[in-house]
Amino acid sequence: MPRLLPALFASLVLLATGANGFRIEEASLATIQQGFGNGSLTSVQLVRFYLDRIRGLNPLLHAVIEVNPDALRHAARADAERRRSSGADGLLHGVPVLLKDNIGTRDALNTTAGSLALLGSVPPRDAGVVSRLRRAGAVVLGKANMEEWANFRSLPGTDGWSARGGQARNPYVLTASPCGSSTGSSIAAAASMAAVTLGTETDGSILCPASLNSVVGIKPTVGLTSRAGVVPISPRQDTIGPICRTVTDAVHVLDAIVGYDALDEAATVAASKYIPHGGYAQFLKKGGLQGKRIGVPNGFFNYANGTVQHTVYQQHFYRMWLQGATVIENLDIENLSVILDSLNNGEQIALVAEFKSSLNSYLSDLSNSPVRSLAQVIDFNNAHPVEEKLKEIGQLILLVSENTTGIGAMEKAAISGLNKLSADGLEKLMKEHELDAVVTPDSALAPVLAIGGMPAITVPAGYSSSGVPFGLSFGGLRGYEPRLIEMAYAFEQITNVRKTPRSCHSSAKVEM
Ligand SMILES: *[C@@H]1O[C@H](CO)[C@@H](O)[C@H](O)[C@H]1NC(C)=O
Ligand SMILES: *[C@@H]1O[C@H](CO)[C@@H](O)[C@H](O)[C@H]1NC(C)=O
Ligand SMILES: *[C@@H]1O[C@H](CO)[C@@H](O)[C@H](O)[C@H]1NC(C)=O
Ligand SMILES: *[C@@H]1O[C@H](CO)[C@@H](O)[C@H](O)[C@H]1NC(C)=O
Ligand SMILES: *[C@@H]1O[C@H](CO)[C@@H](O)[C@H](O)[C@H]1NC(C)=O
């Protein structure tokens, strides 16, 4: 593993604490607000801290593509607002957030899904989730690196790479995969380049990188969060969710971003029935595992005896049982092998057609853009083969998508097949056994959840013998966020697994 240069982190040492000895680095949203409230921290100081940290760590980790040149100005405005009013502004007020680069902003930042083809494109407005964050007083700090086109460019995939952001690195083990496609959001949260980041998931893109970078990721029920203004793949499967260091912080962000959006009308209306009165934070309960029925489906925990994962996951099940949960092993999800075979079960047939029509509509809605169609994106890559690594990565999925002609008979059949696989699979299993959740490692359950628009939360669960993080995901039926939050929070509180990444230790040690 590459040895870290002390010099790279020297600049961070002095920044680990802010004014008046306030320790910013691992501060939660609640602590940040206390700091704002008692005068030991300002939003401007917080933005400066993160900007310096990005400057120091990004040459190594490549987690961030752009920082917002207006972030300090917006932070100063938040500080002024706080001085004028008597507090009670909400937990996100004055807090910097990093957005995955496919989440559109109408500001100085570019929104490119990591691709050079979209550089200079101008969204007509902020994405729905960004409007909500700004209304809550959050400061947009910048755009996080991601697997280009949310890994929907070619089959080999890009493992944390984009033409705009370069190769992102896992801060725990630099040579290990950081996973994706919400790569930079996860790394940035892990390495405290921001306390709050957003990611997006179509099939695993929050759960996988959050797990592998030892942070908490929430993949909300499809439609709970608006997809308007986000570079799309599929209106059936896309969802936007928070990636943070703790369940508590992620849940507060979820509270801020859920809800109706006229620009994502059908999905946000359909999911609005799931949003609880009083929000999600009420489910952050220490006894949240008590009385829960948790399924352990076959086919996921395939770790050999003696491996760290085998031992640690068994210990976790035992501890959940001690907390009053019923852990039910040996459950079979019907047709699991078919569901996991996305190339042959109809998922790809549906996704490629959905991608073409929704991307073309996203591109035509832009106020200004160098590319206006998927065909032009393909042409762009052909014209920039070196910068876009065309030889190494290719663009087969883009080409296959371009060949589609809308949602025809074949696509409709594929979609109804997927709905049936979901209904007869996890949905039936959960109802039959009256489960509150099923648990699986990392993003292993993602394909099962993806085709049903179902939610999950991943929580840090351990570190392999070589130090690579792994997570435990709690997945459930559409609208199960309240109970998933109860279980994930209680699990996090009793296990307390997360530690700061190795590549940040030289700054983490310093106390003043
Ligand atoms: C202000 O709150 C922060 C966060 O809880 C704490 O660390 C700090 O000591 C407090 N400072 C004062 C002056 O009360
Ligand atoms: C957005 O991209 C343009 C190039 O088209 C660049 O000049 C500008 O600096 C970028 N914005 C930010 C905030 O980096
Ligand atoms: C693991 O250990 C258990 C109990 O000792 C044993 O029953 C099982 O067969 C072992 N599995 C493997 C794959 O070795
Ligand atoms: C799912 O499993 C059932 C029963 O095991 C089988 O009859 C059916 O053909 C399978 N469905 C698919 C799509 O493979
Ligand atoms: C697209 O369709 C054309 C014409 O049917 C075919 O020749 C080509 O192989 C297809 N490309 C891909 C990537 O499927």
Side-chain angles (χ1 to χ4, degrees), residues 59-387:
L60 182 73
L61 301 178
H62 293 275
V64 176
I65 297 183
E66 287 186 357
V67 294
N68 187 352
D70 299 317
L72 280 169
R73 200 163 52 79
H74 293 169
R77 196 173 60 201
D79 287 335
E81 282 167 6
R82 191 178 314 109
R83 279 193 301 269
R84 277 201 307 275
S85 73
S86 50
D89 279 318
L91 280 165
L92 283 171
H93 189 268
V95 172
V97 300
L98 280 171
L99 305 168
K100 188 177 179 181
D101 190 44
N102 58 353
I103 300 175
T105 51
R106 173 88 190 197
D107 57 10
L109 292 160
N110 295 286
T111 303
T112 70
S115 167
L116 291 165
L118 281 175
L119 191 53
S121 72
V122 181
R125 61 191 82 80
D126 283 335
V129 289
V130 175
S131 307
R132 285 186 178 273
L133 286 174
R134 289 206 214 261
R135 260 180 274 149
V139 174
V140 174
L141 183 64
K143 292 289 170 72
N145 197 7
M146 58 182 283
E147 285 177 345
E148 197 178 294
W149 293 110
N151 213 21
F152 206 68
R153 185 181 131 176
S154 72
L155 287 177
T158 51
D159 198 26
W161 179 87
S162 74
R164 291 210 59 222
Q167 180 60 56
R169 303 256 174 236
N170 189 315
Y172 288 86
V173 178
L174 294 171
T175 51
S177 167
C179 203
S181 67
S182 305
T183 316
S185 308
S186 302
I187 296 168
S192 296
M193 295 166 159
V196 173
T197 74
L198 290 192
T200 69
E201 172 148 340
T202 306
D203 191 335
S205 280
I206 289 174
L207 297 177
C208 188
S211 301
L212 269 66
N213 292 288
S214 210
V215 286
V216 173
I218 302 182
K219 182 230 170 190
T221 300
V222 168
L224 211 55
T225 50
S226 167
R227 291 81 52 82
V230 177
V231 182
I233 294 177
S234 157
R236 229 175 8 86
Q237 293 187 198
D238 293 351
T239 185
I240 322 302
I243 301 174
C244 298
R245 289 188 301 270
T246 65
V247 175
T248 302
D249 282 358
V251 166
H252 288 309
V253 177
L254 183 68
D255 264 331
I257 61 173
V258 295
Y260 172 75
D261 185 348
L263 296 173
D264 189 9
E265 175 97 27
T268 55
V269 167
S272 60
K273 60 175 175 288
Y274 299 130
I275 301 175
H277 282 289
Y280 290 102
Q282 61 184 302
F283 302 105
L284 297 164
K285 293 196 290 211
K286 280 232 165 70
L289 282 161
Q290 174 69 40
K292 294 293 192 303
R293 292 175 59 79
I294 299 175
V296 184
N298 288 324
F300 293 102
F301 291 94
N302 305 317
Y303 301 100
N305 283 345
T307 61
V308 173
Q309 284 91 335
H310 179 89
T311 312
V312 167
Y313 282 124
Q314 287 299 325
Q315 282 168 358
H316 287 331
F317 298 158
Y318 178 63
R319 298 187 73 175
M320 292 197 282
W321 176 78
L322 285 179
Q323 291 291 309
T326 305
V327 180
I328 304 155
E329 295 186 89
N330 279 317
L331 298 174
D332 284 314
I333 297 174
E334 193 168 302
N335 301 112
L336 181 63
S337 60
V338 182
I339 293 170
L340 297 181
D341 184 9
S342 68
L343 288 181
N344 293 307
N345 67 7
E347 189 183 357
Q348 282 299 317
I349 292 176
L351 288 181
V352 288
E354 290 166 337
F355 176 64
K356 181 181 177 182
S357 64
S358 45
L359 181 67
N360 282 344
S361 125
Y362 172 88
L363 294 174
S364 62
D365 196 35
L366 294 170
S367 299
N368 191 16
S369 180
V371 289
R372 286 294 188 178
S373 66
L374 174 57
Q376 289 178 358
V377 171
I378 291 168
D379 290 345
F380 180 93
N381 289 342
N382 286 329
H384 300 84
V386 177
E387 303 92 308

